[in-house]
Amino acid sequence: MWQIYLTLRYNGGRTLLSDFNITIVGLGLIGGSYAKALRRNNPRNLWAIDKDQYTIKKAIDLNVIDECESMEKVLNKTDILIMCLYPEDNIKFIRENLTHLNKNLVITDVCGVKGDMVQRINNIIEDSMEFIGGHPMAGREFNGFDYSDENLFMNCNYIITTIPENTEKNIYKVKQIAELIGSNNIIMTTPRRHDELVAYTSHLSHVIANAFVNNTNEEANDFIGGSFKDVTRVAYLNPYLWSKILINNKENVLNEIDKFEENIKIIKEALKQDDMDILCSQLESGRIKRKEINLRCSH
Amino acid sequence: MWQIYLTLRYNGGRTLLSDFNITIVGLGLIGGSYAKALRRNNPRNLWAIDKDQYTIKKAIDLNVIDECESMEKVLNKTDILIMCLYPEDNIKFIRENLTHLNKNLVITDVCGVKGDMVQRINNIIEDSMEFIGGHPMAGREFNGFDYSDENLFMNCNYIITTIPENTEKNIYKVKQIAELIGSNNIIMTTPRRHDELVAYTSHLSHVIANAFVNNTNEEANDFIGGSFKDVTRVAYLNPYLWSKILINNKENVLNEIDKFEENIKIIKEALKQDDMDILCSQLESGRIKRKEINLRCSH
């Protein structure tokens, strides 16, 4: 009992993040949700940088972030920088602000495709700094801070991409953050493998939803049920962002489209031949795979 | 006030369905949900026929349906028969029980594909009877009476298919029923046009979800987010039922697959050429179409 009491006293008021100043760059849907989720965990200071000063003011007024000093001072005092811009803009921001960055800075990001961003940022930053890629697999169909939600990352898969330059100590920090904002499944991989896998699980879903919904029309809209709504939901996306993502990952995406088309071909052939056996076995195989996902995700 | 009072007295205890004996054949997910939704509207008698007597007993015990007499007597007294079996089984049931059917019977169904079923049933039944096709566009990924839900059809699209032989009076009855079980959008069309449109809105969704999920594996399952779950949700289906549906509607389905593949091709070409303009315009067009559906369906 005495030991427990001591432990409690020692940690009283402190949290896992209370030693760190954290700054989020880009306070949109993901950056804003990140800030709200981190806020619950009381980092020493939580700051944000956004080109829209109105959003910054709103986030301060809502007590989501702390009052900011000058950007230079903020960057200088920041221990962990969470980049929530497009890949190119992440690189640009780091390049332009390199002289202001804390020498022991850990940088992470939230990009859905890593491409050569990880290597390029690593080439820019000083040896004492570290970039560790991150990808919380959660999102909404709306954009902007106003739609951000402190529970957006609850129970999400969170991919952390590492390169040989990364250290255990700093990888652990990013893992802790992923857990604290709500992820219940943190996966470690390389940037390259990340891009190969999300080309299938995320990017192809968006391609399919788009290609499917693009054939709809007024008449068909009266004939939709749950299946149509489910399959097309992610067609409501940010076209510019998603064009960037798909082009940045085009080789993997094209490869996944080919594999998907192979499966469509099997179904087409089975239909043409009235082959109940093959059709049934394809559907059964898909049912089993989807059931496995139901069991893992509880929905 | 006096008039209102009179009106209330006149209708007291009666409902739109209180003149009708309604019988549901096939008490699975859809038939069971239909029964539960109808029960709220107090038909004179609500009976059900199912080869599984245990399900019938359970439905009686739960007061979802009324105590059944012999099947022959039930059919003889039924004014509206709701067929909730597979298309072939609907035809078989009607053929085998023709002599027991009430001469003024109105028959409807819930099949997701009409094919030649409407014509074939129409050829079997007597001139004084009428078959009017129905398709409530709602479902769940589970089967059986135990998963049935009185709210399954709430706010669903309900397609009614008619042929020249159908009369206004009886079409109106089926419309009333569709409304009473919860549909907020009843659409009238021919069986042929129904099959063409659901080939796209429903059948293709299932084909796509299946072809997509069939490439998943243990590793990829750690990389899934909301988009994957949405696009694949309907891959959890009844393989036998869906093989039947797809083969019954194969010409339309193959046609829709072709159109879908055309859209995929546009995206592939844009990716190969790094053509941001075309890619962005495809994604934007899909976003607008999906937004229209959001506005209509409120989700």
Side-chain angles (χ1 to χ4, degrees):
Chain A
M1 279 304 282
W2 183 239
Q3 252 185 332
I4 292 168
Y5 177 67
L6 272 181
T7 309
L8 286 172
R9 286 264 297 191
Y10 178 69
N11 284 320
R14 296 182 66 235
T15 72
L16 287 164
L17 297 184
S18 61
D19 287 338
F20 300 115
N21 291 325
I22 303 183
T23 298
I24 290 169
V25 182
L27 212 52
L29 172 72
I30 301 293
S33 301
Y34 221 118
K36 288 177 178 174
L38 279 176
R39 192 56 159 182
R40 290 189 302 217
N41 295 286
N42 300 317
R44 192 195 297 161
N45 283 292
L46 179 61
W47 294 308
I49 295 169
D50 195 284
K51 59 186 177 193
D52 179 3
Q53 285 311 306
Y54 177 75
T55 298
I56 294 290
K57 188 178 174 318
K58 189 187 284 181
I60 293 170
D61 289 349
L62 290 169
N63 194 30
V64 172
I65 57 170
D66 293 307
E67 193 91 44
C68 310
E69 303 174 78
S70 74
M71 189 170 82
E72 290 71 17
K73 279 192 189 162
V74 159
L75 289 175
N76 188 257
K77 290 185 191 170
T78 294
D79 302 296
I80 302 170
L81 190 67
I82 300 169
M83 299 300 305
C84 300
L85 306 176
Y86 292 175
E88 282 301 322
D89 296 332
N90 284 339
I91 297 170
K92 191 162 170 252
F93 181 90
I94 290 170
R95 183 182 294 123
E96 289 176 358
N97 292 285
L98 194 59
T99 54
H100 309 305
L101 301 181
N102 174 342
K103 300 304 166 206
N104 296 312
L105 183 66
V106 176
I107 313 172
T108 187
D109 76 315
V110 296
C111 287
V113 57
K114 301 304 175 196
D116 57 3
M117 180 188 71
V118 178
Q119 205 49 58
R120 285 172 66 193
I121 291 180
N122 210 49
N123 291 344
I124 296 169
I125 59 178
E126 296 187 20
D127 287 349
S128 58
M129 302 175 188
E130 241 178 273
F131 181 85
I132 298 165
H135 180 194
M137 296 203 68
R140 291 185 64 185
E141 60 269 52
F142 307 108
N143 306 316
F145 179 76
D146 289 342
Y147 292 104
S148 64
D149 175 358
E150 66 172 353
N151 293 314
L152 186 66
F153 308 112
M154 270 305 162
N155 303 321
C156 78
N157 289 332
Y158 200 115
I159 323 293
I160 294 176
T161 71
T162 60
I163 51 176
E165 289 87 338
N166 295 144
T167 59
E168 279 299 322
K169 182 186 71 175
N170 285 332
I171 293 171
Y172 182 74
K173 282 182 198 160
V174 178
K175 267 184 167 172
Q176 288 289 99
I177 287 180
E179 235 172 64
L180 290 171
I181 66 167
S183 168
N184 64 351
N185 190 29
I186 297 167
I187 307 109
M188 311 290 294
T189 190
T190 61
R192 176 191 293 263
R193 190 70 187 134
H194 167 270
D195 286 0
E196 285 167 3
L197 282 157
V198 296
Y200 168 53
T201 60
S202 165
H203 305 174
L204 183 60
S205 326
H206 290 77
V207 167
I208 286 174
N210 172 265
F212 182 49
V213 83
N214 256 334
N215 281 338
T216 199
N217 57 51
E218 264 303 309
E219 191 183 7
N221 283 350
D222 274 333
F223 285 72
I224 69 177
S227 63
F228 187 97
K229 286 182 240 168
D230 285 344
V231 170
T232 61
R233 200 172 326 266
V234 292
Y236 192 74
L237 45 64
N238 175 336
Y240 181 77
L241 167 66
W242 274 93
S243 296
K244 283 268 187 202
I245 289 176
L246 295 176
I247 285 181
N248 278 344
N249 200 21
K250 71 177 205 173
E251 280 173 36
N252 292 319
V253 172
L254 285 167
N255 186 30
E256 291 301 331
I257 292 177
D258 287 346
K259 288 199 264 176
F260 169 73
E261 285 180 325
E262 283 301 308
N263 288 342
I264 291 279
K265 203 171 154 192
I266 296 172
I267 296 174
K268 273 169 85 167
E269 287 309 310
L271 283 176
K272 283 178 189 165
Q273 312 294 329
D274 291 325
D275 194 329
M276 269 295 281
D277 289 345
I278 289 186
L279 195 52
C280 223
S281 110
Q282 283 296 104
L283 297 187
E284 174 66 13
S285 150
R287 193 188 70 86
I288 290 167
K289 288 178 173 174
R290 190 55 179 82
K291 188 179 180 185
E292 170 67 15
I293 293 160
N294 280 348
L295 295 175
R296 291 166 66 110
C297 307
S298 76
H299 65 287
Chain B
M1 280 304 283
W2 183 238
Q3 251 185 334
I4 292 168
Y5 179 66
L6 271 181
T7 310
L8 286 172
R9 286 263 296 191
Y10 179 69
N11 283 321
R14 296 182 66 236
T15 72
L16 287 164
L17 297 183
S18 61
D19 286 338
F20 300 115
N21 291 324
I22 303 182
T23 297
I24 290 170
V25 182
L27 212 51
L29 172 72
I30 302 292
S33 301
Y34 221 118
K36 288 177 178 174
L38 280 175
R39 192 57 159 181
R40 290 189 302 218
N41 295 286
N42 301 316
R44 191 196 297 160
N45 283 290
L46 178 61
W47 294 307
I49 295 168
D50 195 286
K51 59 186 175 191
D52 179 3
Q53 286 311 305
Y54 176 75
T55 298
I56 294 289
K57 187 178 174 317
K58 189 187 284 182
I60 294 170
D61 289 348
L62 291 169
N63 194 30
V64 171
I65 57 170
D66 294 306
E67 193 91 44
C68 310
E69 302 174 78
S70 74
M71 188 171 84
E72 289 72 18
K73 278 191 188 162
V74 159
L75 289 176
N76 188 257
K77 289 184 189 170
T78 293
D79 302 296
I80 302 170
L81 190 67
I82 299 170
M83 299 299 306
C84 300
L85 306 176
Y86 293 176
E88 282 300 323
D89 296 332
N90 283 340
I91 297 170
K92 191 162 168 253
F93 181 91
I94 291 171
R95 184 183 292 122
E96 288 176 358
N97 292 286
L98 194 59
T99 54
H100 308 306
L101 302 180
N102 173 342
K103 299 304 164 208
N104 296 313
L105 182 66
V106 175
I107 312 172
T108 188
D109 76 315
V110 295
C111 287
V113 56
K114 302 305 176 195
D116 57 3
M117 181 188 70
V118 178
Q119 205 49 58
R120 286 171 67 193
I121 292 180
N122 209 50
N123 291 344
I124 296 169
I125 59 177
E126 295 188 19
D127 288 350
S128 58
M129 302 174 187
E130 240 178 275
F131 180 85
I132 298 165
H135 179 193
M137 297 204 69
R140 290 185 65 185
E141 59 270 52
F142 307 108
N143 306 315
F145 179 76
D146 288 342
Y147 292 104
S148 64
D149 175 358
E150 67 172 353
N151 293 316
L152 185 66
F153 308 112
M154 270 304 163
N155 303 322
C156 78
N157 288 332
Y158 200 114
I159 323 293
I160 294 175
T161 72
T162 61
I163 51 177
E165 289 87 338
N166 295 143
T167 60
E168 280 300 322
K169 183 187 70 177
N170 285 332
I171 292 171
Y172 182 73
K173 281 182 199 160
V174 178
K175 268 184 165 169
Q176 288 289 99
I177 286 179
E179 236 171 64
L180 290 172
I181 67 167
S183 168
N184 63 352
N185 189 29
I186 297 166
I187 307 109
M188 311 291 293
T189 190
T190 62
R192 175 190 294 263
R193 190 71 187 133
H194 166 271
D195 286 0
E196 286 167 1
L197 282 158
V198 296
Y200 168 54
T201 60
S202 165
H203 305 173
L204 183 60
S205 327
H206 290 77
V207 167
I208 286 174
N210 173 266
F212 182 49
V213 84
N214 256 335
N215 280 339
T216 199
N217 58 50
E218 264 304 309
E219 191 182 6
N221 283 351
D222 273 333
F223 286 73
I224 68 179
S227 63
F228 187 97
K229 286 183 240 167
D230 285 344
V231 170
T232 60
R233 200 171 328 266
V234 293
Y236 192 74
L237 45 63
N238 175 335
Y240 181 78
L241 167 66
W242 274 93
S243 296
K244 283 268 187 201
I245 289 176
L246 295 176
I247 285 182
N248 277 344
N249 200 20
K250 71 177 205 175
E251 280 174 36
N252 292 319
V253 172
L254 285 167
N255 185 30
E256 291 301 330
I257 293 177
D258 287 345
K259 288 199 263 176
F260 169 73
E261 285 180 326
E262 283 301 309
N263 288 342
I264 291 279
K265 203 172 154 189
I266 297 172
I267 296 175
K268 273 170 82 166
E269 287 309 310
L271 284 175
K272 283 178 189 168
Q273 312 293 329
D274 290 327
D275 194 330
M276 269 295 282
D277 288 347
I278 290 186
L279 195 52
C280 222
S281 110
Q282 283 296 103
L283 297 188
E284 173 67 13
S285 149
R287 194 188 70 85
I288 290 167
K289 288 178 174 174
R290 190 55 179 82
K291 188 178 180 186
E292 170 68 15
I293 293 160
N294 279 350
L295 295 175
R296 291 167 66 111
C297 306
S298 76
H299 65 288

